[in-house]
């Protein structure tokens, strides 16, 4: 099974020999939002600072979110249809991406593969995890195939303890490299090959560690969607007895998130990669670096460098918090507070890609009717143009509101964890380090939007 | 309190995006374009490329609704691509092509010599 897939992958890889041809800027699209005006930035940053101090100085003096999800039945049981729907969507999506890559190599326009991969798979499905709980675990055709191939393998929790989720973090950053740096990122064939490579990788890792353990260790998209899926109030559980929609309560699933190796690296990467995307599109960045910004090695270095810088800032804040609280080591604090960065990571990504979803997401109408650029018109929508139905001011409001809400969630989670770990006395002082970090991250998030 | 509401509105926005694409085609764009089209001559932006260096262009700012003609001269055969509006015109070596469009979408749009992956200019529409 694995061997056959690897052969297919290699054949496909050799078929795409370095033909220079078009690429859409940054995966897809090539349109950037107008910069957020200064007053939006000032109000957003000001709100973030004020709210931070309100939370810290409030009468919130005992931990409230540390006991985990409420796990009561939700009133929204009709959402139990989602897993079944997502599974069909996932299998169909993978089939279309592979077909798209077989039929068309290097012309991204009029091909459904870049639209599916860069908008629906990479943005819409993980973001839907916030209102509905992680849906990728139901949509993932990779999990489905891995369960069919390796479902009977013995689970290896010892390997999870050894490796943590470091391989998943590396897989995640590798995909952002494909999206943001690779010059061939929007080629249908590149995406088909990437899908095959990821499938082979998932099959190997689940063969070695068992299905759930393997996906925990190595599943970059599985972890990403899983983290975002912990923010919102509900989740959909499915087992032999059926499908249930469970009410968890806002943010309650985050403090009980696993804290193994690589979790800090992963959440830092979530923030760092979006920061790099925003920076590299800003005019000051291109003015500062000139023609270097078109060199793949430079972009690769910059991507890794920005992620590393966010990581160092977080470790510095964790170390300061540990000093101020006078208790545990910086690394322990870093692990204990990693979950507080998840809403900030989501807010960064959502603010950054919101307009891409609502505008370039419409490319799906065209692509559905003519998925492979063969002149078909299956649903009569092949010539639908993208409509910019939201004015820039609406986009700015959404962007700034998202960043500020992500900040509030981060501060609340951090305050609650500090109360739980350090007790109410040293909690207040120990929080200042994290608070400063979060205000800085929020300001950077807004600054990037301000171009 | 505000967080659930925000996320509800995000969900609503996504749904609007999903179902609004078709019906909205006639609502927003033409209103802005017709007024400008009848009153003003198109704005011409000229760029030429030779030996991989770009003359003219630079970053241009255009008011929303303006009719624009992008005039591109290239010493190599390639394709001129206006991203975001997704309009592409082939250019032969030594030829000058015109790429007309109505600037009815706000944002920052890149114009690229596609095969050479050479960004020619950025057009800001606001």
């Amino acid at each position: 099974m694995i061997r056959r897939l690897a052969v297919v992958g290699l054949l496909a890889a050799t078929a795409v020999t370095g033909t220079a041809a078009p690429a859409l800027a940054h995966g897809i699209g090539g349109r950037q939002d107008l910069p957020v005006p200064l007053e939006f930035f000032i109000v957003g940053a000001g709100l973030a600072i004020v709210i931070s101090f309100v939370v810290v100085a409030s009468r919130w003096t005992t931990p409230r979110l540390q006991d985990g999800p409420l796990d009561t039945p939700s009133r929204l049981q009709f959402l139990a249809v989602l897993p079944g729907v997502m599974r069909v969507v996932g299998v169909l999506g993978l089939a279309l991406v592979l077909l798209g890559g077989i039929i068309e190599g290097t012309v991204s326009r009029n091909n459904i593969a870049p639209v599916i991969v860069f908008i629906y798979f990479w943005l819409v499905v993980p973001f839907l995890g916030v209102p509905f709980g992680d849906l990728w675990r139901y949509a993932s055709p990779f999990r489905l195939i891995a369960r069919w191939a390796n479902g009977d393998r013995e689970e290896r929790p010892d390997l999870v303890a050894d490796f943590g989720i470091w391989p998943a973090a590396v897989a995640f950053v590798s995909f952002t490299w494909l999206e943001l740096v690779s010059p061939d990122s929007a080629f249908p064939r590149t995406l088909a090959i990437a899908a095959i490579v990821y499938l082979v990788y998932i099959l190997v890792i689940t063969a070695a560690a068992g299905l759930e353990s393997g996906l925990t260790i190595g599943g970059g998209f599985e972890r990403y969607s899983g983290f975002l899926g912990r923010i919102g109030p509900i989740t959909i559980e499915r087992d032999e007895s059926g499908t249930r929609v469970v009410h968890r309560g806002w943010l309650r699933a985050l403090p009980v998130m696993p804290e193994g190796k690589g979790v800090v690296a992963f959440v830092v990467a979530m923030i760092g990669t979006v920061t790099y995307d925003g920076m590299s599109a800003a005019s000051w960045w291109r003015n500062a670096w000139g023609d270097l910004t078109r060199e793949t090695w430079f972009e690769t270095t910059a991507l890794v460098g920005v992620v590393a810088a966010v990581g160092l800032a977080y470790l510095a804040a964790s170390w300061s918090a540990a000093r101020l609280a006078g208790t545990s080591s910086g690394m322990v604090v870093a692990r204990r507070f990693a979950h507080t960065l998840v809403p900030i990571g989501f807010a960064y990504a959502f603010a950054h890609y919101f307009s891409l979803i609502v505008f370039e997401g419409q490319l799906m109408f065209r692509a559905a009717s003519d998925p492979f650029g063969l002149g078909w018109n299956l649903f009569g929508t092949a010539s639908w143009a993208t409509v910019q139905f939201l004015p820039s001011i609406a986009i700015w409001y959404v962007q700034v509101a998202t960043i500020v809400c992500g900040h509030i969630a981060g501060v609340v989670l951090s305050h609650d964890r500090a109360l739980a770990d350090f007790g109410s006395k040293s909690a207040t002082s120990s929080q200042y380090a994290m608070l400063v970090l979060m205000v800085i991250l929020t300001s950077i998030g807004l600054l990037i939007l301000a171009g | 309190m505000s967080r659930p509401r925000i996320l509800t509105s995000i969900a609503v926005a996504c749904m609007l995006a999903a179902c609004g694409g078709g019906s909205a085609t006639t609502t927003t764009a033409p209103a802005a374009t017709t007024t400008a089209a009848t009153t003003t001559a198109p704005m011409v932006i000229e760029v030429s490329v030779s030996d991989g260096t770009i003359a003219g262009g630079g970053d241009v700012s255009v008011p929303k609704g303006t009719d624009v003609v992008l005039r591109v001269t290239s010493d190599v055969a390639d394709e001129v691509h206006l991203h975001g509006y997704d309009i592409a015109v082939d250019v032969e070596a030594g030829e000058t092509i015109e790429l007309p469009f109505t600037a009815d979408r706000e944002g920052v749009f890149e114009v690229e010599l596609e095969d050479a992956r050479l960004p020619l200019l950025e057009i800001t529409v606001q």
Side-chain angles (χ1 to χ4, degrees):
Chain A
M1 177 64 203
I2 293 171
R3 205 172 298 151
R4 200 180 310 156
L5 279 166
V7 170
V8 172
L10 281 176
L11 284 176
T14 43
V16 59
T17 43
T19 41
L24 295 181
H26 282 191
I28 198 164
R31 173 195 169 278
Q32 295 162 33
D33 293 318
L34 290 174
V36 170
L38 191 63
E39 59 267 29
F40 277 76
F41 167 75
I42 292 168
V43 170
L47 266 177
I49 292 170
V50 170
I51 291 164
S52 308
F53 281 97
V54 168
V55 170
V56 175
S58 69
R59 289 190 204 154
W60 187 323
T61 50
T62 49
R64 296 181 195 184
L65 298 169
Q66 305 298 314
D67 297 337
L70 300 170
D71 283 338
T72 53
S74 166
R75 281 169 296 175
L76 308 170
Q77 291 302 322
F78 66 93
L79 292 172
V81 299
L82 277 177
V85 173
M86 292 310 287
R87 174 179 289 188
V88 174
V89 168
V91 171
L92 195 66
L94 179 63
L96 286 169
V97 168
L98 294 177
L99 272 175
I102 289 167
I103 294 170
E104 181 51 69
T106 53
V107 178
S108 332
R109 232 170 297 135
N110 303 324
N111 192 294
I112 200 167
V115 181
I116 290 178
V117 171
F118 286 120
I119 298 183
Y120 287 88
F121 153 79
W122 176 233
L123 303 176
V124 174
V125 172
F127 292 176
L128 282 177
V130 175
F132 301 126
D134 176 16
L135 292 180
W136 176 243
R137 68 192 144 142
Y138 301 120
S140 172
F142 305 108
R143 170 185 275 272
L144 198 66
I145 297 169
R147 190 170 65 196
W148 169 70
N150 299 321
D152 53 353
R153 300 277 176 148
E154 191 196 344
E155 293 289 345
R156 295 284 302 275
D158 56 312
L159 290 178
V160 179
D162 286 349
F163 290 95
I165 66 164
W166 270 102
V170 172
F172 177 83
V173 174
S174 305
F175 184 82
T176 63
W177 181 87
L178 177 73
E179 182 203 14
L180 304 176
V181 177
S182 166
D184 300 337
S185 63
F187 293 169
R189 193 149 301 158
T190 306
L191 299 176
I193 293 169
I196 293 168
V197 168
Y198 190 69
L199 177 60
V200 172
Y201 159 75
I202 287 295
L203 286 173
V204 169
I205 210 159
T206 51
L211 181 67
E212 295 303 332
S213 305
L215 287 171
T216 299
I217 294 169
F221 307 116
E222 283 70 14
R223 291 284 66 73
Y224 179 53
S225 195
F227 288 150
L228 298 194
R230 289 172 175 270
I231 297 173
I234 64 166
T235 186
I236 305 170
E237 300 292 346
R238 173 181 251 193
D239 55 30
E240 295 80 18
S241 60
T243 309
R244 292 174 312 282
V245 183
V246 179
H247 177 75
R248 296 184 303 197
W250 284 96
L251 303 178
R252 285 183 163 273
L254 283 168
V256 293
M257 198 171 101
E259 287 168 16
K261 293 174 187 166
V263 173
V264 170
F266 202 112
V267 293
V268 160
M270 282 166 56
I271 294 175
T273 51
V274 180
T275 308
Y276 167 74
D277 191 15
M279 276 186 184
S280 62
S283 50
W284 61 263
W285 175 269
R286 272 168 304 153
N287 292 339
W289 300 104
D291 282 345
L292 273 179
T293 56
R294 293 173 57 211
E295 302 282 345
T296 302
W297 68 264
F298 175 82
E299 291 185 89
T300 308
T301 313
L303 172 68
V304 175
V306 173
V307 173
V310 173
L312 286 178
Y314 178 65
L315 290 179
S318 303
W319 180 79
S320 313
R323 286 280 305 251
L324 289 168
T327 51
S328 35
S329 80
M331 201 53 223
V332 171
V333 172
R335 285 197 183 151
R336 291 288 290 160
F337 283 76
H339 68 285
T340 67
L341 295 185
V342 170
I344 296 175
F346 164 70
Y348 263 51
F350 189 85
H352 195 75
Y353 297 114
F354 169 68
S355 67
L356 189 76
I357 294 174
V358 296
F359 298 147
E360 260 72 21
Q362 297 172 39
L363 291 172
M364 191 50 113
F365 291 116
R366 243 162 63 181
S369 270
D370 185 15
F372 312 118
L374 299 173
W376 298 354
N377 196 353
L378 297 177
F379 305 105
T381 56
S383 57
W384 282 19
T386 306
V387 179
Q388 202 172 37
F389 61 93
L390 282 179
S392 289
I393 190 158
I395 297 170
W396 295 331
Y397 271 115
V398 170
Q399 288 178 322
V400 173
T402 309
I403 294 267
V404 172
C405 287
H407 175 87
I408 296 170
V411 170
V412 163
L413 285 166
S414 166
H415 179 71
D416 207 59
R417 177 53 55 94
L419 288 173
D421 279 18
F422 305 134
S424 57
K425 271 207 182 123
S426 45
T428 313
S429 55
S430 69
Q431 273 179 77
Y432 288 128
M434 284 292 168
L435 206 60
V436 167
L437 174 78
M438 284 178 182
V439 169
I440 290 172
L441 283 178
T442 300
S443 306
I444 290 175
L446 291 167
L447 262 180
I448 289 169
L449 297 176
Chain B
M1 190 56 201
S2 65
R3 266 173 281 123
R5 205 177 296 156
I6 277 296
L7 286 156
T8 318
S9 59
I10 287 164
V12 169
C14 287
M15 285 170 205
L16 281 177
C19 61
S23 56
T25 29
T26 48
T27 56
T28 49
T33 60
T34 43
T35 48
T38 49
T39 52
T40 51
M43 174 179 172
V44 178
I45 302 170
E46 297 200 44
V47 194
S48 68
V49 183
S50 91
D51 273 347
T53 53
I54 302 155
D59 292 350
V60 183
S61 194
V62 171
K64 191 180 176 189
T66 315
D67 283 327
V68 181
V69 174
L70 203 58
R71 192 172 291 158
V72 182
T73 310
S74 170
D75 63 341
V76 289
D78 205 310
E79 182 192 66
V80 179
H81 185 192
L82 171 59
H83 285 279
Y85 286 78
D86 227 8
I87 306 172
V89 176
D90 285 331
V91 57
E92 296 298 322
E95 193 194 26
T96 301
I97 57 101
E98 292 199 339
L99 190 158
F101 71 101
T102 303
D104 53 7
R105 295 180 198 169
E106 291 180 350
V108 183
F109 302 90
E110 188 179 270
V111 180
E112 191 181 20
L113 208 53
E114 196 74 4
D115 294 352
R117 288 172 183 156
L118 183 67
L120 299 179
L121 75 156
E122 272 187 4
I123 303 178
T124 301
V125 181
Q126 59 193 135

